[in-house]
Amino acid sequence: MENTVTINGLDDVVSTLQNLLASTDTEVSYSIAIQNLPNFELYLKGEKFDNSITPSIMKGIIELQNAIYRTYLIARYGADNLQMLNDYERQTLELKVIVRPGSSDIIADLCGVAVKLFELISGMENKQKYIIILTVLAIIAGGVGWLYFDSYLGHQATKLEISKEVVIERERTKQLLGSQQNVIDAVQVALKSQHIKEQTDSDLSDEAETEIKSDGSQNPELNITSTDTTTSKPKDKTVHFKQLQAVDMELVNTIAQAKESNEKVKLATERTEESMRKVMASTASAEFVRFNNQFEASGYTMQQIASAERAESEDVTIRNLFRVLNIDSKKTEFMQARLRPTDQSFQDFNATFSDTSIDQDKLDRLTTALTSYHPIDLSVTAKKKRGKLNDAIIAQVRDIDTTQSFKEESDDVIES
């Protein structure tokens, strides 16, 4: 392909994403070449992190790796089942991670793996694939940390039943966009100094003090300290957070716009955000953490921030053509089918049914769909959370679509 768009940093990621989102074309007439992206960096300090890392941190790095794998799978196949990766794809997309001596300084080469992502989809250039990859790179490389902290403050405000007008000023967008203090103005706590009541372990006698300190620079600092007054020994619940760089609101808004542009982009975004939260939570035992050069916090704070946002599930009813991957009738109370939407709007999921809810004729149709490799028209009720279906039940079985067949496709590894 003759035309090439070069990415030399996050600014280029933003501008390229904006152009793709504004375009009405489904295909693109250029390739993307990654020349420079900031590394992902995690600095840890504490007695467990002297030239070493803990198993929990290892799990966090694996989550970061899985975010890359899922991005590729969703971009190329529309699903994020890690078992779909072949050995070549898995090895090609392996992150290069360096652990520096001293207190553990973990650096992952995001630029190198981004190059491989685009190489693997070379020849399949379309807008959706590009948007998926660029959005995930933007989430990992920049801006995401402050969003989590903002969510944490909102969670605390609800938990402590304090008016959001008292805790957070969110309406100063003009100053945010035009001032060097945009981070301070984005989420500035308008408290001189006050005491608030917090329920801790069902004990309403805990008392919390919330204070924002600012030296006039663009780096706000928050300290929340809770002291247990029911015992003689203070309970250390200090939450310390210091922003290291201003929030790029253009980046944040572009990520949000991309997320809502397409179901597959939304799935990739939610999977990546979930992985990043797990990376943050993995640092809980550290005394001090610097996250991706975006902010500094204690490990306790990182864990609190990571666990603050819990998405609520919603009840959904979905009618679609599904490929039946497997039928498990070993359970005595119910049977279970492994389903894959033909439009890949969701990843593979299990849906249960019983002989009392589905008669023999409908069960025969499901079995025929499995053995004939034809899709079948089903209605499924489920809980939807972060783009994933849980507690799914087959509510209605309709006809098999004999105009489509999956017989020629290579067998996928089916996750039971």
Side-chain angles (χ1 to χ4, degrees):
M1 187 169 290
E2 295 182 2
N3 297 324
T4 301
V5 170
T6 301
I7 302 293
N8 256 316
L10 282 176
D11 288 344
D12 289 337
V13 171
V14 173
S15 60
T16 305
L17 260 177
Q18 289 173 338
N19 290 336
L20 289 166
L21 292 168
S23 173
T24 57
D25 297 331
T26 57
E27 302 297 322
V28 289
S29 58
Y30 54 83
S31 62
I32 290 181
I34 304 288
Q35 288 193 354
N36 183 40
L37 279 176
N39 290 325
F40 178 84
E41 186 169 357
L42 197 62
Y43 177 79
L44 305 156
K45 187 176 180 180
E47 61 181 28
K48 295 183 178 180
F49 302 101
D50 185 10
N51 292 323
S52 63
I53 57 177
T54 63
S56 64
I57 296 297
M58 293 178 190
K59 290 180 181 179
I61 298 304
I62 290 172
E63 273 301 323
L64 184 62
Q65 176 69 77
N66 286 342
I68 299 299
Y69 286 151
R70 290 190 182 102
T71 299
Y72 168 70
L73 288 169
I74 295 171
R76 181 157 190 176
Y77 303 113
D80 67 345
N81 185 346
L82 296 177
Q83 293 182 344
M84 295 172 65
L85 282 168
N86 60 42
D87 289 342
Y88 175 75
E89 291 167 334
R90 194 177 291 275
Q91 292 171 10
T92 300
L93 293 174
E94 277 188 348
L95 278 168
K96 180 181 179 182
V97 179
I98 299 172
V99 181
R100 289 178 176 171
S103 297
S104 297
D105 191 4
I106 302 167
I107 300 173
D109 179 15
L110 191 59
C111 184
V113 80
V115 171
K116 298 300 183 182
L117 278 169
F118 282 103
E119 285 181 358
L120 284 176
I121 67 162
S122 178
M124 298 183 293
E125 288 83 1
N126 68 52
K127 184 168 73 170
Q128 181 178 278
K129 287 180 172 61
Y130 279 1
I131 291 174
I132 289 171
I133 294 175
L134 290 173
T135 302
V136 168
L137 293 176
I139 291 171
I140 296 175
V144 70
W146 180 253
L147 295 180
Y148 294 143
F149 185 62
D150 184 43
S151 174
Y152 173 74
L153 281 181
H155 174 78
Q156 290 298 99
T158 301
K159 174 183 171 184
L160 302 175
E161 297 182 349
I162 304 171
S163 167
K164 286 188 178 181
E165 288 79 8
V166 176
V167 179
I168 304 170
E169 292 184 0
R170 300 179 184 270
E171 304 302 324
R172 308 179 77 172
T173 54
K174 290 182 181 179
Q175 294 175 348
L176 179 144
L177 294 174
S179 169
Q180 288 296 316
Q181 293 191 7
N182 57 358
V183 176
I184 298 173
D185 296 333
V187 190
Q188 182 179 21
V189 180
L191 298 177
K192 295 179 180 178
S193 179
Q194 68 171 342
H195 292 278
I196 54 179
K197 292 184 178 180
E198 175 183 7
Q199 181 176 349
T200 303
D201 299 328
S202 301
D203 188 348
L204 296 177
S205 64
D206 280 16
E207 192 171 276
E209 179 180 353
T210 304
E211 181 182 2
I212 276 291
K213 298 178 181 179
S214 176
D215 60 0
S217 68
Q218 63 181 30
N219 298 332
E221 185 170 335
L222 174 75
N223 289 277
I224 302 177
T225 305
S226 298
T227 305
D228 189 345
T229 59
T230 62
T231 62
S232 57
K233 185 178 181 180
K235 185 190 294 182
D236 185 10
K237 284 191 173 183
T238 301
V239 171
H240 169 78
F241 178 100
K242 183 176 182 180
Q243 189 75 15
L244 300 179
Q245 56 180 282
V247 175
D248 185 341
M249 291 306 298
E250 188 176 19
L251 172 63
V252 170
N253 292 333
T254 303
I255 291 173
Q257 184 184 353
K259 183 176 181 179
E260 298 305 318
S261 68
N262 180 275
E263 281 296 325
K264 292 177 184 177
V265 181
K266 186 175 183 180
L267 176 62
T269 301
E270 290 175 343
R271 290 287 181 273
T272 305
E273 290 173 344
E274 186 176 349
S275 291
M276 295 297 284
R277 271 188 287 274
K278 290 180 179 178
V279 174
M280 294 172 71
S282 73
T283 67
S285 61
E287 296 174 10
F288 172 85
V289 182
R290 185 166 61 243
F291 187 84
N292 210 21
N293 290 317
Q294 294 172 359
F295 57 82
E296 297 173 348
S298 66
Y300 172 79
T301 305
M302 295 285 280
Q303 188 179 45
Q304 295 299 303
I305 295 172
S307 62
E309 183 182 342
R310 290 188 169 89
E312 297 295 330
S313 61
E314 59 175 315
D315 294 320
V316 295
T317 299
I318 299 166
R319 179 176 179 179
N320 208 333
L321 284 175
F322 292 92
R323 179 179 177 181
V324 181
L325 301 173
N326 187 28
I327 295 178
D328 181 5
S329 57
K330 295 177 183 178
K331 309 289 185 187
T332 56
E333 303 88 357
F334 59 85
M335 289 174 280
Q336 182 172 271
R338 184 79 175 165
L339 303 177
R340 175 179 298 170
T342 56
D343 62 1
Q344 298 181 326
S345 51
F346 296 96
Q347 63 177 327
D348 302 351
F349 64 95
N350 294 325
T352 61
F353 59 94
S354 67
D355 54 7
T356 58
S357 62
I358 295 180
D359 58 30
Q360 187 61 44
D361 175 62
K362 293 178 179 178
L363 177 57
D364 290 343
R365 286 186 225 169
L366 281 170
T367 305
T368 301
L370 171 65
T371 58
S372 67
Y373 299 94
H374 293 307
I376 187 169
D377 186 357
L378 302 175
S379 286
V380 176
T381 62
K383 298 282 188 182
K384 180 182 176 183
K385 184 175 182 179
R386 300 195 188 285
K388 186 177 181 180
L389 299 182
N390 299 295
D391 302 327
I393 299 172
I394 297 177
Q396 192 166 353
V397 179
R398 299 183 183 85
D399 295 330
I400 296 174
D401 182 1
T402 57
T403 64
Q404 300 184 54
S405 176
F406 306 102
K407 192 173 183 61
E408 301 302 320
E409 293 186 9
S410 59
D411 292 336
D412 292 328
V413 177
I414 300 169
E415 180 183 346
S416 59

